[in-house]
Amino acid sequence: MKTLSEIQYKPKPEFFHKFLDDVLNDGTNSYVVVKEDEIYQFWITGSIDAISEAQPDALDWLDERRHMLQEYSDGHGRTKAWTGLVYKDPNENG
């Protein structure tokens, strides 16, 4: 079953454009959305295993840029993330 994953970032203002450029050029096949002062990155993958396999490299990438991000005040740290199973894909029949 496909999965949809999302990570939300809130770069420090002085690093916003640099961080956005890094997200746009990180080599992954993702959707990138900007809303006000936050960046959202979305992936649709073929299975939850693909997410698990990508996680070590993704965490290394994020650790290199941690200094660019603001900490969320609600205790989430420097990112907010979630993954869920896709039950309907409008691009597929059935």
Side-chain angles (χ1 to χ4, degrees):
M1 181 173 275
K2 288 183 183 180
T3 61
L4 180 116
S5 297
E6 180 262 351
I7 300 179
Q8 183 177 346
Y9 311 98
K10 189 170 185 176
K12 294 175 182 174
E14 65 270 25
F15 291 113
F16 187 89
H17 294 288
K18 169 66 174 133
F19 191 85
L20 177 59
D21 189 53
D22 286 357
V23 169
L24 293 172
N25 295 295
D26 71 358
T28 66
N29 188 17
S30 64
Y31 294 89
V32 177
V33 177
V34 174
K35 181 182 175 195
E36 298 171 5
D37 60 349
E38 292 182 285
I39 299 168
Y40 300 79
Q41 194 169 17
F42 298 88
W43 296 265
I44 297 176
T45 59
S47 72
I48 195 76
D49 293 335
I51 300 296
S52 297
E53 291 169 8
Q55 193 170 24
D57 289 338
L59 290 173
D60 288 343
W61 182 91
L62 185 59
D63 282 343
E64 293 171 4
R65 292 158 181 83
R66 187 166 303 281
H67 68 281
M68 296 183 189
L69 298 173
Q70 298 181 51
E71 194 160 328
Y72 284 97
S73 60
D74 58 5
H76 278 94
R78 298 188 191 285
T79 62
K80 294 182 183 181
W82 60 266
T83 296
L85 299 175
V86 176
Y87 280 85
K88 180 181 178 188
D89 183 335
N91 297 314
E92 295 179 1
N93 293 330

